[in-house]
């Protein structure tokens, strides 16, 4: 369930940042938040394996 939530929100953030003009403030933060959510399930999986 975590993967579905994170990947869906990350996809929405990436899509929104792709269509928003570059002059919009905090556009880069939307991309960083999307990237963080994209990597969160993999990180949790690696930490649970150890």
């Amino acid at each position: 369930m975590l993967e579905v939530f994170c990947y869906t929100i990350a996809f929405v953030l990436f899509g929104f940042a792709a269509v928003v003009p570059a002059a919009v403030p905090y556009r880069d933060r939307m991309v960083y938040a999307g990237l963080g959510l994209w990597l969160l399930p993999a990180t949790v999986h690696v930490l649970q394996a150890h």
Side-chain angles (χ1 to χ4, degrees):
M1 190 66 188
L2 174 70
E3 288 113 2
V4 173
F5 175 75
C6 288
Y7 291 152
T8 303
I9 300 299
F11 184 73
V12 169
L13 284 172
F14 284 147
F16 189 64
V19 297
V20 171
V24 173
Y26 305 119
R27 179 180 172 224
D28 56 341
R29 291 184 185 180
M30 284 190 285
V31 175
Y32 295 146
L35 183 61
L37 283 172
W38 193 267
L39 295 175
L40 181 66
T43 305
V44 170
H45 178 70
V46 167
L47 291 176
Q48 285 178 345
H50 287 106

